[in-house]
Amino acid sequence: MKTMNTIVRTAASSMACLAVSIAGAQDLLPSAPPQEGGVMLTGGTVHTVSGETIENGVVGFRDGTITTIADAEIMQRILLSPDTDIIDVGGHHVYPGLFAAHTQLGLTETSSVRATNDSNEIGSFNPEVRAGVAVNPDSTLLPVARLNGIMLAGVMPRGGRISGRASVMRLDGWTWEDMTVRGDAGMVINWPGVRANPGMWRTSPEGDAVKRVERALDGIRDYFDNASAYADVKTSGAAHPSDLRLEAMRPYLGGEYAEEGGPRLLVAANDYDQIVSAVSFVAKRGIPMAIVGGRDAPLCAGLLIEHDVPVIIDGVYRFPKRADSPHDDAYTLAARLHEAGVKFCISGADRDGNVRNLPYEAAMATRYGLDAHEAVRAITLAPAEILGVDDRYGSLETGKSATLIVTTGDVLEITSNVAFAFIDGKRVELRSKQTELRDKYLEKYRQLDLIPREGEPARD
């Protein structure tokens, strides 16, 4: 009994420590209040992305919506209301807020602590799962991403064959409802490998490997067929028990159930034969789709263009795909897709803590052949188009959301910092746990007289 009591006390202590560590891993910054009055950003280089770049421009917005995009000379000819805040951003650059298309932000806090991971549902077929509902608005990873200009994120579930539905989230808000831009932005499907592989050590006959592939593909076909049959019965008005999983499949069945501007199937596939198999399956059903990953996408560019299938590049900071691939295989993928005429966007290789590196991954693509303007488009407007929110986000245009950033230099340069950030017109605080620790210890060394205090001249 003494041993058992010791075990119980130890377990209780461990759980308490875990609870404290999780509670300590909270973002303590308040959500930004709604915009009051107007804002005019003047004198900066305005990168509209969808149009021309204005060297000495003005971006004005009110009630969260962009009202003015013009040359700075317009300031001499317009009368502003008294509640307009004029911010001189001369020497800076204005961009749409960066958009990370494939993340688990808000679903994962500490990857090694199972209790803080909520991205993977139990089971193989979970179309009813909606990632945005599980997003933690107090995640400490959100301010880190915001500090480097990431204002929007596609949050995708993972695991199983049909993982669930992706959500587009703005990276600021008191609740997940506040953060949600589009709750159902696409159904995530992990396409099976379709090349029969008996295994490294040939422990099973090749026929068994072929059967495994066939079973996996049949499972997807059967699920879509069952969902179609269910939708037909429900549409006919016949009495039938409701099934939340099959109900969730309705927008993804094509045919009479297709909606103009409806969400896409987001199919994770990298190998050539995987991509061809997935596109062939989906094209027969008339369902819009996008490929997530697409390492071999340039090899089937014609097929992707024919069926208007864009690619979400799943990271530029990656090793070559095969042992005999060029060393820059991943770095040149964006340039090769662009040259072939395939629509694409760039997402980061990291899903949570280092989503902040998104602009640098786009910069690496420019180093290996992608035009710089296309690189910026690939992390702003292109993901907004693929995930169906480009009517409000992704570019600087009048009537669109004032979700934008002001940087000290080219957003693709690692030496540039974000000076101001706005989400739907709300000015977002650019602080994080890391900046708080930085400031804490700078003050320590000032008190120790090891570094000058603010306003004092620098020391030799």
Side-chain angles (χ1 to χ4, degrees):
M1 181 62 70
K2 181 178 180 181
T3 303
M4 181 59 70
N5 287 339
T6 301
I7 293 173
V8 171
R9 284 197 301 271
T10 303
S13 175
S14 300
M15 291 302 293
C17 291
L18 176 60
V20 169
S21 66
I22 294 172
Q26 288 185 333
D27 170 24
L28 300 180
L29 297 179
S31 180
Q35 181 184 2
E36 294 183 1
V39 173
M40 298 291 283
L41 304 175
T42 65
T45 300
V46 179
H47 301 263
T48 63
V49 177
S50 60
E52 63 180 6
T53 297
I54 306 171
E55 293 296 333
N56 182 24
V58 169
V59 179
F61 49 96
R62 180 178 289 272
D63 298 327
T65 300
I66 296 175
T67 56
T68 306
I69 301 277
D71 189 275
E73 117 3 85
I74 197 176
M75 295 295 289
Q76 302 173 16
R77 298 186 285 107
I78 60 175
L79 182 65
L80 299 176
S81 60
D83 63 349
T84 301
D85 186 12
I86 301 175
I87 303 176
D88 183 0
V89 295
H92 290 46
H93 294 251
V94 185
Y95 294 91
L98 305 187
F99 193 149
H102 183 195
T103 78
Q104 265 92 51
L105 282 174
L107 303 182
T108 297
E109 193 67 30
T110 306
S111 57
S112 60
V113 180
R114 178 65 185 89
T116 70
N117 289 282
D118 202 14
S119 59
N120 190 349
E121 189 59 80
I122 296 172
S124 296
F125 294 89
N126 298 294
E128 80 286 3
V129 167
R130 192 149 46 98
V133 175
V135 166
N136 173 21
D138 294 323
S139 169
T140 57
L141 304 183
L142 303 183
V144 174
R146 291 198 303 258
L147 267 169
N148 221 28
I150 317 298
M151 300 290 110
L152 297 164
V155 180
M156 299 188 189
R158 61 186 179 87
R161 187 61 65 204
I162 297 182
S163 304
R165 291 170 286 171
S167 298
V168 175
M169 312 295 285
R170 51 179 75 85
L171 299 191
D172 181 67
W174 292 107
T175 66
W176 67 265
E177 292 95 338
D178 293 341
M179 298 173 65
T180 301
V181 174
R182 188 177 189 184
D184 188 353
M187 186 73 74
V188 179
I189 300 181
N190 296 301
W191 205 259
V194 298
R195 184 177 302 169
N197 184 358
M200 184 180 296
W201 305 109
R202 307 284 174 179
T203 55
S204 61
E206 187 169 350
D208 290 351
V210 172
K211 289 178 181 177
R212 284 196 295 270
V213 171
E214 291 175 347
R215 280 197 299 270
L217 293 174
D218 285 344
I220 296 175
R221 293 191 194 99
D222 291 345
Y223 206 85
F224 273 82
D225 289 343
N226 290 339
S228 294
Y230 172 85
D232 291 343
V233 171
K234 296 293 282 187
T235 302
S236 71
H240 192 282
S242 293
D243 186 313
L244 294 180
R245 291 184 173 183
L246 298 181
E247 285 282 357
M249 292 291 294
R250 188 183 292 253
Y252 302 94
L253 298 177
E256 63 181 292
Y257 301 107
E259 303 173 7
E260 184 68 28
R264 302 174 185 266
L265 291 178
L266 303 173
V267 182
N270 279 297
D271 294 339
Y272 170 83
D273 37 12
Q274 262 187 311
I275 296 171
V276 171
S277 172
V279 173
S280 299
F281 171 85
V282 173
K284 290 177 183 177
R285 296 172 181 259
I287 311 169
M289 70 172 291
I291 293 293
V292 180
R295 295 291 294 273
D296 283 346
L299 301 178
C300 44
L303 180 69
L304 298 177
I305 294 170
E306 178 185 353
H307 296 286
D308 192 25
V309 177
V311 176
I312 298 176
I313 295 176
D314 213 8
V316 177
Y317 289 163
R318 291 193 180 278
F319 287 109
K321 187 173 184 295
R322 300 180 178 88
D324 59 350
S325 297
H327 77 281
D328 57 1
D329 176 60
Y331 307 153
T332 62
L333 178 57
R336 286 182 283 137
L337 289 176
H338 179 60
E339 184 177 357
V342 177
K343 297 177 183 177
F344 70 94
C345 73
I346 294 175
S347 188
D350 195 274
R351 301 283 169 268
D352 38 61
N354 286 314
V355 170
R356 61 189 175 83
N357 287 330
L358 176 64
Y360 311 141
E361 301 213 25
M364 181 64 81
T366 67
R367 174 63 180 82
Y368 284 85
L370 184 65
D371 176 76
H373 174 77
E374 291 299 327
V376 173
R377 191 183 193 284
I379 55 177
T380 52
L381 184 55
E385 291 173 341
I386 293 172
L387 295 179
V389 295
D390 56 303
D391 60 328
R392 288 282 294 158
Y393 298 93
S395 61
L396 300 180
E397 302 175 48
T398 56
K400 280 195 170 184
S401 167
T403 297
L404 52 90
I405 57 175
V406 179
T407 62
T408 58
D410 187 331
V411 74
L412 301 181
E413 291 287 346
I414 199 168
T415 53
S416 298
N417 294 317
V418 177
F420 303 99
F422 300 87
I423 295 179
D424 294 330
K426 301 185 297 182
R427 185 167 173 177
V428 178
E429 284 196 64
L430 295 173
R431 292 191 292 132
S432 71
K433 181 179 180 180
Q434 287 74 18
T435 62
E436 295 296 305
L437 289 171
R438 174 202 65 193
D439 294 343
K440 172 181 177 178
Y441 287 100
L442 281 174
E443 179 58 26
K444 171 186 176 181
Y445 292 120
R446 290 190 189 101
Q447 292 180 12
L448 293 173
D449 204 29
L450 296 174
I451 61 174
R453 294 182 178 275
E454 291 186 24
E456 292 182 353
R459 301 174 184 175
D460 294 334

